Amino acid sequence: MIGDEQSIVVSTLSKVRLAFVNDVVAAELRRLRDSIDNMDAALVHLLAERFKITQQVGELKARHGLSPADPDREAHQIARLRALAADAKLDPEFAEKFLNFVVAEVVRHHEAAVRNSSVAT
Amino acid sequence: MIGDEQSIVVSTLSKVRLAFVNDVVAAELRRLRDSIDNMDAALVHLLAERFKITQQVGELKARHGLSPADPDREAHQIARLRALAADAKLDPEFAEKFLNFVVAEVVRHHEAAVRNSSVAT
């Protein structure tokens, strides 16, 4: 009987410990995810601002007959972002892929703007 | 002779005006590009921090035998980012593509970490 009671106590303590560990892990996961969510909100707002500015660049270039593409500027941007990424311990390859991903969206915006203005005239 | 002088003056004024416009446009383009560069630096640093946190999430999950994927969490993240994007006048489709792009890199990091730990043991 004492053996049974002991095993019940051990099993209960083990369950309490597991529940405690689960609570601690869940709280830690929540804390980390809250930070990820804050950063994602900041990233989305920065991207929104960035597109507002590239839209202004597109309009300025169109108004003054400047070419939309500028290979020298792009090469400089890539080199700079790779260096910044390396400094921040982010994979420079990823930083370059990221810039290409964003620039592809900028090009898509510009093409849509040109299509819309062709429709308007 | 007076006609010649007049046309020289007109041509010179036109060149001066063009040079002035070019200077103004170049200065405006530089100002906008400086802002893009500042935002890109901020984006790269935020992404570096985000990967530090997802690395902690990956380690926490691995340590406690939790599944790396969490479809409910991902669905919530997508819905939230789309709403934030719409508020910030950013295309929600792009916000979702952006999250998928970043998550694909997180998965790549986790897979590399698993490969490295398999090599180590």
Side-chain angles (χ1 to χ4, degrees):
Chain A
M1 285 294 281
I2 289 176
D4 281 356
E5 279 169 22
Q6 267 183 341
S7 85
I8 289 169
V9 168
V10 167
S11 151
T12 306
L13 280 177
S14 162
K15 280 180 193 158
V16 167
R17 192 187 159 280
L18 188 65
F20 176 73
V21 169
N22 285 345
D23 280 356
V24 169
V25 170
E28 176 69 356
L29 195 56
R30 211 175 307 120
R31 189 185 68 81
L32 294 169
R33 284 176 166 176
D34 282 349
S35 292
I36 291 172
D37 286 348
N38 284 344
M39 284 181 193
D40 283 347
L43 286 164
V44 158
H45 285 97
L46 266 173
L47 284 167
E49 274 304 300
R50 194 190 191 282
F51 284 119
K52 282 171 68 176
I53 299 180
T54 49
Q55 192 181 341
Q56 282 181 271
V57 169
E59 287 165 3
L60 187 72
K61 284 181 163 184
R63 205 159 50 237
H64 297 280
L66 300 170
S67 162
D70 188 337
D72 283 352
R73 156 81 176 155
E74 282 155 36
H76 176 257
Q77 276 178 292
I78 289 171
R80 178 176 172 272
L81 271 205
R82 288 186 70 106
L84 283 173
D87 249 13
K89 300 190 179 62
L90 180 73
D91 179 7
E93 282 300 311
F94 174 74
E96 182 167 347
K97 269 197 288 178
F98 170 72
L99 185 67
N100 289 336
F101 174 80
V102 173
V103 168
E105 185 70 10
V106 171
V107 170
R108 212 176 62 76
H109 281 202
H110 284 185
E111 285 170 356
V114 169
R115 265 200 309 281
N116 289 344
S117 69
S118 320
V119 170
T121 52
Chain B
M1 285 295 280
I2 288 173
D4 281 358
E5 278 169 25
Q6 267 183 341
S7 84
I8 289 169
V9 168
V10 168
S11 152
T12 305
L13 281 177
S14 162
K15 280 180 192 156
V16 168
R17 192 186 159 281
L18 188 65
F20 175 73
V21 169
N22 285 345
D23 280 355
V24 169
V25 171
E28 177 69 358
L29 195 57
R30 211 175 306 121
R31 189 184 68 80
L32 293 169
R33 284 177 165 174
D34 282 349
S35 292
I36 291 171
D37 286 347
N38 283 345
M39 285 181 192
D40 283 347
L43 286 164
V44 158
H45 285 97
L46 267 173
L47 285 167
E49 272 306 299
R50 193 189 191 284
F51 285 119
K52 282 171 67 177
I53 299 179
T54 49
Q55 192 181 343
Q56 283 180 272
V57 169
E59 287 165 4
L60 186 72
K61 284 182 164 185
R63 204 158 53 236
H64 297 280
L66 300 170
S67 163
D70 187 337
D72 283 352
R73 156 80 176 154
E74 282 153 37
H76 176 257
Q77 276 178 292
I78 288 171
R80 179 176 172 272
L81 270 206
R82 289 186 70 106
L84 283 173
D87 249 12
K89 300 189 179 64
L90 180 73
D91 179 7
E93 281 301 311
F94 174 73
E96 182 167 347
K97 270 196 290 178
F98 170 71
L99 186 67
N100 288 335
F101 174 80
V102 173
V103 168
E105 185 70 9
V106 171
V107 170
R108 212 176 61 75
H109 282 201
H110 285 185
E111 285 169 355
V114 169
R115 264 199 310 280
N116 289 343
S117 70
S118 319
V119 170
T121 54

mmCIF file of all heavy atoms in Angstrom, chain A residues 52-85:
data_model
loop_
_atom_site.group_PDB
_atom_site.id
_atom_site.type_symbol
_atom_site.label_atom_id
_atom_site.label_comp_id
_atom_site.label_asym_id
_atom_site.label_seq_id
_atom_site.Cartn_x
_atom_site.Cartn_y
_atom_site.Cartn_z
ATOM 1 N N LYS A 52 6.303 53.836 -51.494
ATOM 2 C CA LYS A 52 5.879 55.219 -51.745
ATOM 3 C C LYS A 52 7.019 56.007 -52.380
ATOM 4 O O LYS A 52 6.806 56.836 -53.268
ATOM 5 C CB LYS A 52 5.433 55.888 -50.430
ATOM 6 C CG LYS A 52 4.035 55.467 -49.991
ATOM 7 C CD LYS A 52 3.698 55.949 -48.601
ATOM 8 C CE LYS A 52 3.545 57.449 -48.514
ATOM 9 N NZ LYS A 52 3.128 57.856 -47.134
ATOM 10 N N ILE A 53 8.240 55.747 -51.905
ATOM 11 C CA ILE A 53 9.395 56.499 -52.431
ATOM 12 C C ILE A 53 9.775 56.019 -53.828
ATOM 13 O O ILE A 53 10.050 56.833 -54.713
ATOM 14 C CB ILE A 53 10.586 56.395 -51.460
ATOM 15 C CG1 ILE A 53 10.183 57.001 -50.107
ATOM 16 C CG2 ILE A 53 11.798 57.127 -52.024
ATOM 17 C CD1 ILE A 53 11.264 56.948 -49.070
ATOM 18 N N THR A 54 9.766 54.694 -54.054
ATOM 19 C CA THR A 54 10.121 54.223 -55.402
ATOM 20 C C THR A 54 9.056 54.686 -56.410
ATOM 21 O O THR A 54 9.377 54.892 -57.578
ATOM 22 C CB THR A 54 10.298 52.690 -55.461
ATOM 23 O OG1 THR A 54 9.184 52.042 -54.835
ATOM 24 C CG2 THR A 54 11.573 52.268 -54.755
ATOM 25 N N GLN A 55 7.832 54.862 -55.940
ATOM 26 C CA GLN A 55 6.800 55.402 -56.844
ATOM 27 C C GLN A 55 7.173 56.840 -57.253
ATOM 28 O O GLN A 55 7.073 57.210 -58.419
ATOM 29 C CB GLN A 55 5.451 55.384 -56.129
ATOM 30 C CG GLN A 55 4.282 55.652 -57.079
ATOM 31 C CD GLN A 55 2.944 55.647 -56.349
ATOM 32 O OE1 GLN A 55 2.821 55.115 -55.243
ATOM 33 N NE2 GLN A 55 1.936 56.225 -56.975
ATOM 34 N N GLN A 56 7.654 57.631 -56.261
ATOM 35 C CA GLN A 56 8.078 59.001 -56.574
ATOM 36 C C GLN A 56 9.258 58.990 -57.548
ATOM 37 O O GLN A 56 9.327 59.807 -58.455
ATOM 38 C CB GLN A 56 8.507 59.719 -55.283
ATOM 39 C CG GLN A 56 7.346 60.198 -54.429
ATOM 40 C CD GLN A 56 7.861 60.912 -53.182
ATOM 41 O OE1 GLN A 56 8.089 60.279 -52.161
ATOM 42 N NE2 GLN A 56 8.073 62.205 -53.270
ATOM 43 N N VAL A 57 10.198 58.037 -57.345
ATOM 44 C CA VAL A 57 11.354 57.929 -58.249
ATOM 45 C C VAL A 57 10.857 57.623 -59.663
ATOM 46 O O VAL A 57 11.301 58.252 -60.646
ATOM 47 C CB VAL A 57 12.336 56.826 -57.770
ATOM 48 C CG1 VAL A 57 13.384 56.525 -58.842
ATOM 49 C CG2 VAL A 57 13.028 57.239 -56.470
ATOM 50 N N GLY A 58 9.898 56.676 -59.773
ATOM 51 C CA GLY A 58 9.357 56.303 -61.078
ATOM 52 C C GLY A 58 8.708 57.497 -61.774
ATOM 53 O O GLY A 58 8.925 57.725 -62.970
ATOM 54 N N GLU A 59 7.931 58.277 -61.008
ATOM 55 C CA GLU A 59 7.245 59.435 -61.595
ATOM 56 C C GLU A 59 8.251 60.492 -62.033
ATOM 57 O O GLU A 59 8.129 61.073 -63.110
ATOM 58 C CB GLU A 59 6.273 60.034 -60.568
ATOM 59 C CG GLU A 59 5.023 59.157 -60.364
ATOM 60 C CD GLU A 59 4.221 59.503 -59.116
ATOM 61 O OE1 GLU A 59 4.604 60.473 -58.410
ATOM 62 O OE2 GLU A 59 3.235 58.797 -58.831
ATOM 63 N N LEU A 60 9.271 60.730 -61.189
ATOM 64 C CA LEU A 60 10.308 61.728 -61.509
ATOM 65 C C LEU A 60 11.032 61.337 -62.802
ATOM 66 O O LEU A 60 11.245 62.182 -63.694
ATOM 67 C CB LEU A 60 11.303 61.805 -60.337
ATOM 68 C CG LEU A 60 12.369 62.891 -60.399
ATOM 69 C CD1 LEU A 60 11.753 64.262 -60.149
ATOM 70 C CD2 LEU A 60 13.471 62.638 -59.367
ATOM 71 N N LYS A 61 11.411 60.049 -62.890
ATOM 72 C CA LYS A 61 12.136 59.585 -64.083
ATOM 73 C C LYS A 61 11.252 59.688 -65.333
ATOM 74 O O LYS A 61 11.725 60.107 -66.390
ATOM 75 C CB LYS A 61 12.589 58.136 -63.868
ATOM 76 C CG LYS A 61 13.785 58.005 -62.936
ATOM 77 C CD LYS A 61 14.187 56.548 -62.805
ATOM 78 C CE LYS A 61 15.590 56.404 -62.240
ATOM 79 N NZ LYS A 61 16.011 54.987 -62.210
ATOM 80 N N ALA A 62 9.979 59.298 -65.201
ATOM 81 C CA ALA A 62 9.073 59.343 -66.360
ATOM 82 C C ALA A 62 8.893 60.792 -66.832
ATOM 83 O O ALA A 62 8.925 61.074 -68.021
ATOM 84 C CB ALA A 62 7.731 58.726 -65.987
ATOM 85 N N ARG A 63 8.763 61.716 -65.846
ATOM 86 C CA ARG A 63 8.515 63.129 -66.182
ATOM 87 C C ARG A 63 9.694 63.731 -66.926
ATOM 88 O O ARG A 63 9.528 64.627 -67.748
ATOM 89 C CB ARG A 63 8.255 63.894 -64.869
ATOM 90 C CG ARG A 63 7.432 65.147 -65.023
ATOM 91 C CD ARG A 63 6.781 65.601 -63.734
ATOM 92 N NE ARG A 63 7.685 65.689 -62.602
ATOM 93 C CZ ARG A 63 7.521 65.043 -61.447
ATOM 94 N NH1 ARG A 63 6.477 64.251 -61.274
ATOM 95 N NH2 ARG A 63 8.387 65.175 -60.466
ATOM 96 N N HIS A 64 10.900 63.255 -66.643
ATOM 97 C CA HIS A 64 12.095 63.860 -67.242
ATOM 98 C C HIS A 64 12.764 62.931 -68.248
ATOM 99 O O HIS A 64 13.930 63.131 -68.611
ATOM 100 C CB HIS A 64 13.056 64.306 -66.136
ATOM 101 C CG HIS A 64 12.460 65.367 -65.257
ATOM 102 N ND1 HIS A 64 12.417 66.692 -65.629
ATOM 103 C CD2 HIS A 64 11.825 65.306 -64.066
ATOM 104 C CE1 HIS A 64 11.807 67.392 -64.695
ATOM 105 N NE2 HIS A 64 11.427 66.570 -63.728
ATOM 106 N N GLY A 65 12.029 61.921 -68.686
ATOM 107 C CA GLY A 65 12.531 61.046 -69.741
ATOM 108 C C GLY A 65 13.782 60.262 -69.366
ATOM 109 O O GLY A 65 14.596 59.946 -70.239
ATOM 110 N N LEU A 66 13.951 59.967 -68.066
ATOM 111 C CA LEU A 66 15.118 59.173 -67.641
ATOM 112 C C LEU A 66 14.776 57.686 -67.717
ATOM 113 O O LEU A 66 13.631 57.294 -67.511
ATOM 114 C CB LEU A 66 15.505 59.546 -66.206
ATOM 115 C CG LEU A 66 15.894 61.014 -65.977
ATOM 116 C CD1 LEU A 66 16.024 61.313 -64.482
ATOM 117 C CD2 LEU A 66 17.208 61.341 -66.690
ATOM 118 N N SER A 67 15.794 56.871 -68.006
ATOM 119 C CA SER A 67 15.574 55.423 -68.103
ATOM 120 C C SER A 67 15.162 54.847 -66.741
ATOM 121 O O SER A 67 15.737 55.208 -65.714
ATOM 122 C CB SER A 67 16.861 54.764 -68.597
ATOM 123 O OG SER A 67 16.825 53.381 -68.322
ATOM 124 N N PRO A 68 14.168 53.941 -66.696
ATOM 125 C CA PRO A 68 13.766 53.347 -65.412
ATOM 126 C C PRO A 68 14.902 52.532 -64.786
ATOM 127 O O PRO A 68 15.081 52.545 -63.564
ATOM 128 C CB PRO A 68 12.595 52.437 -65.776
ATOM 129 C CG PRO A 68 12.180 52.811 -67.164
ATOM 130 C CD PRO A 68 13.373 53.420 -67.828
ATOM 131 N N ALA A 69 15.672 51.810 -65.628
ATOM 132 C CA ALA A 69 16.749 50.961 -65.091
ATOM 133 C C ALA A 69 18.034 51.770 -64.940
ATOM 134 O O ALA A 69 18.287 52.699 -65.702
ATOM 135 C CB ALA A 69 16.981 49.784 -66.018
ATOM 136 N N ASP A 70 18.839 51.425 -63.936
ATOM 137 C CA ASP A 70 20.105 52.111 -63.694
ATOM 138 C C ASP A 70 21.077 51.072 -63.108
ATOM 139 O O ASP A 70 21.208 50.929 -61.883
ATOM 140 C CB ASP A 70 19.877 53.277 -62.725
ATOM 141 C CG ASP A 70 21.110 54.151 -62.573
ATOM 142 O OD1 ASP A 70 22.231 53.658 -62.830
ATOM 143 O OD2 ASP A 70 20.971 55.320 -62.171
ATOM 144 N N PRO A 71 21.761 50.311 -64.021
ATOM 145 C CA PRO A 71 22.593 49.184 -63.567
ATOM 146 C C PRO A 71 23.670 49.588 -62.549
ATOM 147 O O PRO A 71 23.943 48.820 -61.622
ATOM 148 C CB PRO A 71 23.233 48.674 -64.868
ATOM 149 C CG PRO A 71 22.336 49.167 -65.965
ATOM 150 C CD PRO A 71 21.780 50.464 -65.488
ATOM 151 N N ASP A 72 24.256 50.800 -62.704
ATOM 152 C CA ASP A 72 25.295 51.233 -61.758
ATOM 153 C C ASP A 72 24.718 51.378 -60.354
ATOM 154 O O ASP A 72 25.297 50.917 -59.368
ATOM 155 C CB ASP A 72 25.887 52.583 -62.189
ATOM 156 C CG ASP A 72 26.852 52.422 -63.344
ATOM 157 O OD1 ASP A 72 27.155 51.258 -63.684
ATOM 158 O OD2 ASP A 72 27.271 53.446 -63.907
ATOM 159 N N ARG A 73 23.561 52.043 -60.278
ATOM 160 C CA ARG A 73 22.882 52.229 -58.994
ATOM 161 C C ARG A 73 22.549 50.859 -58.379
ATOM 162 O O ARG A 73 22.771 50.637 -57.192
ATOM 163 C CB ARG A 73 21.613 53.062 -59.239
ATOM 164 C CG ARG A 73 20.502 52.910 -58.222
ATOM 165 C CD ARG A 73 20.719 53.735 -56.983
ATOM 166 N NE ARG A 73 19.580 53.626 -56.078
ATOM 167 C CZ ARG A 73 19.648 53.816 -54.774
ATOM 168 N NH1 ARG A 73 20.793 54.126 -54.208
ATOM 169 N NH2 ARG A 73 18.590 53.716 -54.027
ATOM 170 N N GLU A 74 22.043 49.943 -59.210
ATOM 171 C CA GLU A 74 21.654 48.618 -58.677
ATOM 172 C C GLU A 74 22.866 47.847 -58.141
ATOM 173 O O GLU A 74 22.793 47.222 -57.074
ATOM 174 C CB GLU A 74 20.912 47.815 -59.754
ATOM 175 C CG GLU A 74 19.464 48.290 -59.889
ATOM 176 C CD GLU A 74 18.848 48.027 -61.261
ATOM 177 O OE1 GLU A 74 19.154 46.996 -61.865
ATOM 178 O OE2 GLU A 74 18.076 48.899 -61.725
ATOM 179 N N ALA A 75 23.977 47.918 -58.887
ATOM 180 C CA ALA A 75 25.194 47.220 -58.448
ATOM 181 C C ALA A 75 25.669 47.796 -57.107
ATOM 182 O O ALA A 75 26.086 47.065 -56.197
ATOM 183 C CB ALA A 75 26.283 47.359 -59.505
ATOM 184 N N HIS A 76 25.568 49.139 -56.988
ATOM 185 C CA HIS A 76 25.981 49.798 -55.742
ATOM 186 C C HIS A 76 25.078 49.378 -54.572
ATOM 187 O O HIS A 76 25.555 49.099 -53.462
ATOM 188 C CB HIS A 76 25.957 51.317 -55.941
ATOM 189 C CG HIS A 76 26.274 52.075 -54.694
ATOM 190 N ND1 HIS A 76 25.294 52.698 -53.946
ATOM 191 C CD2 HIS A 76 27.434 52.272 -54.026
ATOM 192 C CE1 HIS A 76 25.852 53.256 -52.884
ATOM 193 N NE2 HIS A 76 27.149 53.022 -52.901
ATOM 194 N N GLN A 77 23.764 49.294 -54.848
ATOM 195 C CA GLN A 77 22.806 48.888 -53.799
ATOM 196 C C GLN A 77 23.104 47.469 -53.313
ATOM 197 O O GLN A 77 23.075 47.190 -52.115
ATOM 198 C CB GLN A 77 21.372 48.909 -54.359
ATOM 199 C CG GLN A 77 20.709 50.260 -54.335
ATOM 200 C CD GLN A 77 19.322 50.187 -54.955
ATOM 201 O OE1 GLN A 77 19.181 49.971 -56.154
ATOM 202 N NE2 GLN A 77 18.291 50.362 -54.152
ATOM 203 N N ILE A 78 23.369 46.565 -54.275
ATOM 204 C CA ILE A 78 23.624 45.163 -53.905
ATOM 205 C C ILE A 78 24.886 45.070 -53.044
ATOM 206 O O ILE A 78 24.882 44.428 -51.984
ATOM 207 C CB ILE A 78 23.749 44.279 -55.176
ATOM 208 C CG1 ILE A 78 22.365 44.124 -55.831
ATOM 209 C CG2 ILE A 78 24.346 42.909 -54.841
ATOM 210 C CD1 ILE A 78 22.386 43.456 -57.195
ATOM 211 N N ALA A 79 25.959 45.728 -53.480
ATOM 212 C CA ALA A 79 27.229 45.666 -52.741
ATOM 213 C C ALA A 79 27.051 46.222 -51.330
ATOM 214 O O ALA A 79 27.545 45.652 -50.344
ATOM 215 C CB ALA A 79 28.303 46.445 -53.504
ATOM 216 N N ARG A 80 26.300 47.334 -51.232
ATOM 217 C CA ARG A 80 26.100 47.979 -49.931
ATOM 218 C C ARG A 80 25.273 47.078 -49.003
ATOM 219 O O ARG A 80 25.639 46.886 -47.833
ATOM 220 C CB ARG A 80 25.382 49.318 -50.150
ATOM 221 C CG ARG A 80 25.068 50.078 -48.877
ATOM 222 C CD ARG A 80 24.463 51.426 -49.190
ATOM 223 N NE ARG A 80 23.997 52.079 -47.969
ATOM 224 C CZ ARG A 80 22.787 51.902 -47.450
ATOM 225 N NH1 ARG A 80 21.926 51.094 -48.022
ATOM 226 N NH2 ARG A 80 22.448 52.548 -46.332
ATOM 227 N N LEU A 81 24.190 46.509 -49.537
ATOM 228 C CA LEU A 81 23.330 45.670 -48.688
ATOM 229 C C LEU A 81 24.060 44.402 -48.242
ATOM 230 O O LEU A 81 23.887 43.944 -47.112
ATOM 231 C CB LEU A 81 22.048 45.294 -49.426
ATOM 232 C CG LEU A 81 20.868 46.246 -49.284
ATOM 233 C CD1 LEU A 81 19.555 45.536 -49.507
ATOM 234 C CD2 LEU A 81 20.847 46.947 -47.926
ATOM 235 N N ARG A 82 24.882 43.838 -49.128
ATOM 236 C CA ARG A 82 25.649 42.641 -48.750
ATOM 237 C C ARG A 82 26.594 42.971 -47.594
ATOM 238 O O ARG A 82 26.738 42.189 -46.658
ATOM 239 C CB ARG A 82 26.433 42.104 -49.941
ATOM 240 C CG ARG A 82 25.565 41.439 -51.012
ATOM 241 C CD ARG A 82 26.423 40.805 -52.098
ATOM 242 N NE ARG A 82 27.117 39.649 -51.579
ATOM 243 C CZ ARG A 82 26.791 38.377 -51.860
ATOM 244 N NH1 ARG A 82 25.802 38.125 -52.694
ATOM 245 N NH2 ARG A 82 27.442 37.380 -51.327
ATOM 246 N N ALA A 83 27.232 44.147 -47.661
ATOM 247 C CA ALA A 83 28.169 44.555 -46.599
ATOM 248 C C ALA A 83 27.419 44.783 -45.287
ATOM 249 O O ALA A 83 27.857 44.341 -44.212
ATOM 250 C CB ALA A 83 28.923 45.811 -47.027
ATOM 251 N N LEU A 84 26.257 45.463 -45.374
ATOM 252 C CA LEU A 84 25.448 45.713 -44.168
ATOM 253 C C LEU A 84 24.992 44.389 -43.558
ATOM 254 O O LEU A 84 24.997 44.221 -42.335
ATOM 255 C CB LEU A 84 24.211 46.551 -44.520
ATOM 256 C CG LEU A 84 24.425 48.046 -44.739
ATOM 257 C CD1 LEU A 84 23.148 48.690 -45.248
ATOM 258 C CD2 LEU A 84 24.847 48.716 -43.429
ATOM 259 N N ALA A 85 24.587 43.439 -44.430
ATOM 260 C CA ALA A 85 24.112 42.136 -43.951
ATOM 261 C C ALA A 85 25.246 41.413 -43.219
ATOM 262 O O ALA A 85 25.043 40.884 -42.116
ATOM 263 C CB ALA A 85 23.603 41.305 -45.131
#
